[in-house]
Amino acid sequence: MAVTIRDVAALAGVSPSTVSRTCKDHPSISRETKERVRRAMAKLGYEPNIQPAANEGQPSQLIGVILPPSFGDAYENPFFLETVRGISQFCNGRGYISAVVTGQDEEELLGAIRTLVKDERMGGFIVLYSREDDAIIDYLYNEGLLYVLVGKARQFVNQTIYIDNDNFLAGQEAAEYLFRLGHRRIAYLGSEESMYFSAERKAGYQLALTKEGLLPREEDCLEMNGLFADRNEKLLALLKREDRPTAVVASDDILAVALERVCVKLGLSVPEDLSIVSFNNSLFARITSPQLTSVDVNACQLGIEAASQLINHVENPNLLATKILVPHRLIERESCRRIEIK
C-alpha cells in the first residue's frame, strides 16, 4: 500500500496540513518541525508530489470557496451569495484572495479543485455545504488539504473545522412558534435529506411536535426541489386534503416561495389558509407577498467565521480543529397568523 501524507503526519506527530506545508517549504513551519517531518518522510519513503513555492518567504494568499455540485440552481441561492460575501469581506481585510469553485457534478468539481491545488499560493478551501458520503470531502481529507466546512461535519468529524448554526434547535423553535399560534397540524417541507442542514431542521421540528404530544406524520414531511414544487404530486395531494396542514416549516426561503406559488395555484391564501415559517431570511423572504416569517441564520457571519478560521489555521498549522456555532433568530412577518385552538 502506498505511503500517504497522513502516514507521514502520524509518524512525525503533526497535522497533514503541516506535512503539506513542509513539502512547500512554507515559512510558517519552524525549522525543527520541518526537520522532523522530513525525517519521517525519509523513513517511510514518502515522495511528495508538491513542488516548493516559488514565492518563498510569502504566506499562501489563495482561498478556494467550494459550492455544491449543481447545474445552476445553487448559484442563485442567496444563502451562498451572502456566505461568499462574508468570506470575501474577511479575506480582503487580511490580504487573501478568494476564488469560487463550481461544477455541474462531482467529477467537474473535483477537476477544478485539483487545478487549484497546483497553484503555489493555495492556502486551503472553504466548503459551503455538508452532506452524506461526499467525494469532495473525501478528496480534501485524504490529500491532507486544509479545509473548513460551513455546516456540521458528517465525515472525519474530530479532524474537521466547521462553522454552523444549531439547525436542530432552529427547526424546533420554528415548530414551537407555530404551535404557540394555535397550529396543531404542522408539516415540514425540506431539501433532499442528504443535505445535513435540512435533516437537522426536520429532526428539531419532529421533536417539537413530540414534546407537545403531537405525533409527526410521515405524509406531512416532504423533500423536494423548490423549482418543481408545483409539479410535486405528494405536496399537491397534501394541500388538497380536507385535514390538510394549517402551517408549514420550510427548510429555506426558496422552498417557501415555491410553496406560496402552489397555494395560489390551489386557491389557498397565506396566511389565512396556511401559515409558513422558512429559513435564511434572504431577499426572497422580504420581497414576496406576504413577506415570510423566516429564521435568520446569519449567512454573512458564517462566511466571516469560516474565512477567519481557515486563515488562522493557514498561519498557525498546528491549531486544533475548531467547531463554531453562529446564533440564529426568528424574524416575524406576515406569513403566519394565530388560529383558534380546536
Side-chain angles (χ1 to χ4, degrees), residues 7-9 11-12 35-46:
D7 297 326
V8 176
L11 182 59
E35 290 175 354
R36 187 164 77 251
V37 170
R38 287 164 182 160
R39 285 196 299 269
M41 291 167 60
K43 184 173 182 178
L44 294 173
Y46 178 72

mmCIF file of all heavy atoms in Angstrom, residues 7-9 11-12 35-46:
data_model
loop_
_atom_site.group_PDB
_atom_site.id
_atom_site.type_symbol
_atom_site.label_atom_id
_atom_site.label_comp_id
_atom_site.label_asym_id
_atom_site.label_seq_id
_atom_site.Cartn_x
_atom_site.Cartn_y
_atom_site.Cartn_z
ATOM 1 N N ASP A 7 0.158 9.141 6.750
ATOM 2 C CA ASP A 7 1.129 8.255 7.399
ATOM 3 C C ASP A 7 2.322 9.057 7.909
ATOM 4 O O ASP A 7 2.817 8.833 9.016
ATOM 5 C CB ASP A 7 1.601 7.181 6.408
ATOM 6 C CG ASP A 7 0.475 6.270 5.955
ATOM 7 O OD1 ASP A 7 -0.419 6.002 6.770
ATOM 8 O OD2 ASP A 7 0.496 5.844 4.784
ATOM 9 N N VAL A 8 2.788 9.992 7.080
ATOM 10 C CA VAL A 8 3.914 10.844 7.469
ATOM 11 C C VAL A 8 3.534 11.703 8.670
ATOM 12 O O VAL A 8 4.291 11.844 9.639
ATOM 13 C CB VAL A 8 4.355 11.740 6.289
ATOM 14 C CG1 VAL A 8 5.456 12.704 6.733
ATOM 15 C CG2 VAL A 8 4.813 10.891 5.114
ATOM 16 N N ALA A 9 2.320 12.280 8.623
ATOM 17 C CA ALA A 9 1.857 13.140 9.713
ATOM 18 C C ALA A 9 1.793 12.368 11.029
ATOM 19 O O ALA A 9 2.198 12.872 12.082
ATOM 20 C CB ALA A 9 0.487 13.727 9.368
ATOM 21 N N LEU A 11 3.519 9.678 11.934
ATOM 22 C CA LEU A 11 4.855 9.351 12.416
ATOM 23 C C LEU A 11 5.566 10.575 12.982
ATOM 24 O O LEU A 11 6.256 10.498 14.007
ATOM 25 C CB LEU A 11 5.689 8.738 11.283
ATOM 26 C CG LEU A 11 7.121 8.305 11.657
ATOM 27 C CD1 LEU A 11 7.091 7.268 12.782
ATOM 28 C CD2 LEU A 11 7.848 7.756 10.427
ATOM 29 N N ALA A 12 5.347 11.733 12.337
ATOM 30 C CA ALA A 12 6.011 12.964 12.781
ATOM 31 C C ALA A 12 5.267 13.642 13.934
ATOM 32 O O ALA A 12 5.810 14.557 14.564
ATOM 33 C CB ALA A 12 6.139 13.935 11.613
ATOM 34 N N GLU A 35 12.318 19.608 9.939
ATOM 35 C CA GLU A 35 13.302 18.520 10.007
ATOM 36 C C GLU A 35 12.657 17.231 10.486
ATOM 37 O O GLU A 35 12.956 16.147 9.974
ATOM 38 C CB GLU A 35 14.451 18.929 10.930
ATOM 39 C CG GLU A 35 15.343 20.028 10.340
ATOM 40 C CD GLU A 35 16.405 20.497 11.322
ATOM 41 O OE1 GLU A 35 16.368 20.057 12.497
ATOM 42 O OE2 GLU A 35 17.260 21.316 10.920
ATOM 43 N N ARG A 36 11.744 17.326 11.465
ATOM 44 C CA ARG A 36 11.066 16.139 11.975
ATOM 45 C C ARG A 36 10.196 15.515 10.886
ATOM 46 O O ARG A 36 10.161 14.284 10.721
ATOM 47 C CB ARG A 36 10.210 16.509 13.195
ATOM 48 C CG ARG A 36 9.616 15.291 13.887
ATOM 49 C CD ARG A 36 9.116 15.626 15.281
ATOM 50 N NE ARG A 36 7.850 16.331 15.282
ATOM 51 C CZ ARG A 36 7.689 17.599 15.606
ATOM 52 N NH1 ARG A 36 8.750 18.335 15.953
ATOM 53 N NH2 ARG A 36 6.509 18.170 15.590
ATOM 54 N N VAL A 37 9.496 16.349 10.145
ATOM 55 C CA VAL A 37 8.647 15.847 9.063
ATOM 56 C C VAL A 37 9.490 15.193 7.971
ATOM 57 O O VAL A 37 9.155 14.117 7.465
ATOM 58 C CB VAL A 37 7.787 16.985 8.479
ATOM 59 C CG1 VAL A 37 7.093 16.535 7.197
ATOM 60 C CG2 VAL A 37 6.757 17.462 9.499
ATOM 61 N N ARG A 38 10.605 15.832 7.618
ATOM 62 C CA ARG A 38 11.459 15.287 6.556
ATOM 63 C C ARG A 38 12.088 13.966 6.968
ATOM 64 O O ARG A 38 12.273 13.069 6.126
ATOM 65 C CB ARG A 38 12.514 16.316 6.160
ATOM 66 C CG ARG A 38 11.921 17.471 5.346
ATOM 67 C CD ARG A 38 12.832 18.663 5.284
ATOM 68 N NE ARG A 38 12.215 19.766 4.528
ATOM 69 C CZ ARG A 38 12.574 21.030 4.616
ATOM 70 N NH1 ARG A 38 13.556 21.383 5.449
ATOM 71 N NH2 ARG A 38 11.967 21.948 3.904
ATOM 72 N N ARG A 39 12.407 13.815 8.260
ATOM 73 C CA ARG A 39 12.929 12.532 8.728
ATOM 74 C C ARG A 39 11.860 11.442 8.587
ATOM 75 O O ARG A 39 12.165 10.308 8.193
ATOM 76 C CB ARG A 39 13.384 12.649 10.185
ATOM 77 C CG ARG A 39 14.703 13.383 10.380
ATOM 78 C CD ARG A 39 15.288 13.132 11.766
ATOM 79 N NE ARG A 39 14.406 13.592 12.837
ATOM 80 C CZ ARG A 39 14.464 14.812 13.360
ATOM 81 N NH1 ARG A 39 15.357 15.696 12.905
ATOM 82 N NH2 ARG A 39 13.650 15.160 14.333
ATOM 83 N N ALA A 40 10.618 11.790 8.921
ATOM 84 C CA ALA A 40 9.520 10.833 8.788
ATOM 85 C C ALA A 40 9.297 10.464 7.320
ATOM 86 O O ALA A 40 9.058 9.292 6.983
ATOM 87 C CB ALA A 40 8.242 11.413 9.393
ATOM 88 N N MET A 41 9.387 11.459 6.436
ATOM 89 C CA MET A 41 9.232 11.189 5.004
ATOM 90 C C MET A 41 10.318 10.242 4.505
ATOM 91 O O MET A 41 10.038 9.288 3.754
ATOM 92 C CB MET A 41 9.275 12.517 4.223
ATOM 93 C CG MET A 41 8.058 13.408 4.453
ATOM 94 S SD MET A 41 8.274 15.111 3.845
ATOM 95 C CE MET A 41 8.570 14.808 2.117
ATOM 96 N N ALA A 42 11.545 10.477 4.952
ATOM 97 C CA ALA A 42 12.661 9.629 4.521
ATOM 98 C C ALA A 42 12.498 8.211 5.054
ATOM 99 O O ALA A 42 12.743 7.226 4.331
ATOM 100 C CB ALA A 42 13.977 10.236 5.000
ATOM 101 N N LYS A 43 12.071 8.090 6.303
ATOM 102 C CA LYS A 43 11.913 6.762 6.914
ATOM 103 C C LYS A 43 10.839 5.949 6.203
ATOM 104 O O LYS A 43 10.989 4.734 6.003
ATOM 105 C CB LYS A 43 11.569 6.913 8.395
ATOM 106 C CG LYS A 43 11.473 5.585 9.137
ATOM 107 C CD LYS A 43 11.290 5.813 10.631
ATOM 108 C CE LYS A 43 11.245 4.469 11.371
ATOM 109 N NZ LYS A 43 11.106 4.675 12.841
ATOM 110 N N LEU A 44 9.762 6.613 5.812
ATOM 111 C CA LEU A 44 8.650 5.915 5.167
ATOM 112 C C LEU A 44 8.800 5.828 3.652
ATOM 113 O O LEU A 44 8.028 5.137 2.990
ATOM 114 C CB LEU A 44 7.331 6.632 5.494
ATOM 115 C CG LEU A 44 6.896 6.594 6.962
ATOM 116 C CD1 LEU A 44 5.675 7.486 7.172
ATOM 117 C CD2 LEU A 44 6.580 5.172 7.398
ATOM 118 N N GLY A 45 9.777 6.540 3.110
ATOM 119 C CA GLY A 45 9.960 6.546 1.663
ATOM 120 C C GLY A 45 8.883 7.330 0.934
ATOM 121 O O GLY A 45 8.534 7.021 -0.202
ATOM 122 N N TYR A 46 8.385 8.359 1.608
ATOM 123 C CA TYR A 46 7.310 9.162 1.014
ATOM 124 C C TYR A 46 7.872 10.125 -0.017
ATOM 125 O O TYR A 46 8.832 10.857 0.239
ATOM 126 C CB TYR A 46 6.581 9.941 2.098
ATOM 127 C CG TYR A 46 5.479 10.845 1.567
ATOM 128 C CD1 TYR A 46 4.292 10.324 1.076
ATOM 129 C CD2 TYR A 46 5.646 12.236 1.552
ATOM 130 C CE1 TYR A 46 3.288 11.137 0.598
ATOM 131 C CE2 TYR A 46 4.643 13.074 1.075
ATOM 132 C CZ TYR A 46 3.471 12.514 0.594
ATOM 133 O OH TYR A 46 2.475 13.338 0.117
#
